[in-house]
Amino acid sequence: MWTSVEQKIKPEKNERHNVGGQAIIEGVMMRSPWKISIAVRKPNGTIMTDIKEKPILSKTNKFFALPIIRGVVNMVDSLIIGLKALSLSATLAMDEEEEKLSAFDLSIAMLLAFGLFVGLFIALPTFLTSRIDHYIHSTILYNIIEGLIRVTIFLLYLYIISRMKDIKRIFEYHGAEHKTIFAFENGQELTLENIRKYTTHHPRCGTNWLMIVMIISIFIFSFLGRPGIITRIISRIALIPIVAGLAYEAIRLLSKYQDRGLANILALPGLLLQRITTQEPDDSQLEVAVAALKGSLKEEC
């Protein structure tokens, strides 16, 4: 399934903005409207690819294609696919004699990840803001402060994990994913020479989506008043799908009008954040990203 990086793939114009990806352990996962392709660099230096036919859910069901709904569906679908891709990449990246990850291991990892998300980015900001509840009379100001605390915790979290060797490696593959998609979107032949010149900062990155989620949440949570802290935490968890759906629509608009000044300004926080979440890849990592991208396209590789 692996093909030379010199192979020419000329996407149709309307296909170029329908490919997304995710950095995984020693590899990249790419998704087009038709396929999911995972490419991983094994310890012996070879590239292993895993390609599956899986149309995007919004293409198979009209209800799933409705505004807001498609964002929620896309979030859940992406989480499931992303976790499976991480699990597969962890297995492929191991030496043959190393112990493989079991379904139980993956389930525990998912529960821990969800617990970390709720604890760090929902419960902790809500708790810290409640400590100054009596000093703030404006509900809007209260939610702005909570949102700023949430963003600060998020930035600190990203900065800390970016110092870890294994995470830095994943961020390099994240950069390889972005550079390869940029070359594809611009109709370039997928050679290393063409891909190297592109930036690692992409306006449709999930990092941008996370920033927009945090901004939109400030607005949405302002309508909830100021109930007790337990009710606040539960309500924020319950509204995650709505916030995610609205953020998805915002990303679509930013992508559609990415050449306009206002869209560039709105996308700037997410692009700046990618200075942490993406790193410059080497050629071997670009080769993996190209393998993943080619596997996700209609053309048979």
Side-chain angles (χ1 to χ4, degrees):
M1 287 181 284
W2 163 245
T3 57
S4 166
V5 294
E6 301 297 326
Q7 178 182 341
K8 294 183 179 180
I9 293 181
K10 296 181 181 289
E12 296 176 8
K13 187 174 182 180
N14 62 351
E15 295 175 353
R16 293 177 185 165
H17 296 283
N18 289 328
V19 175
Q22 175 184 320
I24 51 181
I25 298 171
E26 285 304 316
V28 173
M29 182 271 288
M30 292 283 191
R31 185 177 192 183
S32 71
W34 323 279
K35 296 180 182 179
I36 295 172
S37 175
I38 296 171
V40 174
R41 179 79 69 178
K42 292 181 68 64
N44 63 9
T46 60
I47 298 175
M48 176 73 72
T49 57
D50 183 84
I51 302 171
K52 289 184 173 62
E53 298 278 348
K54 193 179 191 309
I56 292 176
L57 292 177
S58 60
K59 302 288 185 183
T60 62
N61 187 300
K62 290 183 178 180
F63 177 74
F64 291 159
L66 293 174
I68 309 299
I69 298 296
R70 60 192 173 191
V72 179
V73 171
N74 182 68
M75 178 188 71
V76 175
D77 194 35
S78 295
L79 281 173
I80 294 172
I81 291 172
L83 286 168
K84 288 182 178 178
L86 278 170
S87 176
L88 178 59
S89 68
T91 299
L92 293 176
M94 289 179 180
D95 290 319
E96 296 299 327
E97 63 271 13
E98 291 183 290
E99 184 179 352
K100 306 302 182 183
L101 293 176
S102 66
F104 177 77
D105 294 330
L106 181 58
S107 299
I108 294 298
M110 290 172 62
L111 288 173
L112 289 175
F114 181 74
L116 179 66
F117 170 79
V118 171
L120 269 183
F121 305 124
I122 296 181
L124 182 57
T126 303
F127 171 77
L128 291 177
T129 312
S130 71
R131 298 300 88 191
I132 56 174
D133 202 347
H134 298 297
Y135 303 100
I136 303 173
H137 301 291
S138 169
T139 300
I140 294 177
L141 178 59
Y142 182 92
N143 281 283
I144 289 175
I145 292 173
E146 182 184 332
L148 290 175
I149 292 174
R150 184 173 291 110
V151 169
T152 301
I153 292 172
F154 179 59
L155 292 176
L156 285 173
Y157 169 78
L158 284 180
Y159 177 76
I160 291 170
I161 67 170
S162 72
R163 314 305 294 175
M164 302 175 184
K165 182 179 177 181
D166 291 340
I167 299 298
K168 185 176 183 295
R169 185 81 177 158
I170 290 177
F171 286 174
E172 289 171 357
Y173 275 107
H174 192 191
E177 172 221 327
H178 284 186
K179 290 168 83 79
T180 304
I181 288 178
F182 258 131
F184 175 71
E185 289 176 338
N186 284 278
Q188 295 283 304
E189 183 181 345
L190 296 179
T191 64
L192 297 181
E193 182 179 2
N194 287 339
I195 296 171
R196 287 190 201 107
K197 64 186 179 184
Y198 288 99
T199 178
T200 61
H201 306 150
H202 198 288
R204 288 191 294 108
C205 176
T207 306
N208 294 31
W209 178 79
L210 285 173
M211 285 299 293
I212 292 174
V213 161
M214 293 186 183
I215 293 170
I216 290 177
S217 68
I218 295 173
F219 176 76
I220 297 295
F221 295 162
S222 296
F223 289 96
L224 301 180
R226 293 162 71 171
I229 185 170
I230 300 299
T231 303
R232 290 180 200 174
I233 292 172
I234 293 173
S235 65
R236 280 147 177 70
I237 295 173
L239 283 172
I240 287 175
I242 301 299
V243 174
L246 289 170
Y248 180 81
E249 299 303 321
I251 283 288
R252 284 175 62 92
L253 284 174
L254 289 177
S255 177
K256 183 177 180 180
Y257 299 107
Q258 61 182 316
D259 297 328
R260 310 236 180 131
L262 180 59
N264 289 331
I265 293 173
L266 294 174
L268 186 59
L271 292 173
L272 290 175
L273 189 55
Q274 288 179 51
R275 293 179 181 272
I276 299 176
T277 63
T278 65
Q279 299 292 325
E280 195 64 34
D282 59 30
D283 285 354
S284 69
Q285 291 167 320
L286 291 177
E287 288 176 348
V288 173
V290 171
L293 176 57
K294 288 184 176 181
S296 71
L297 301 177
K298 281 182 176 178
E299 289 84 353
E300 291 296 330
C301 296

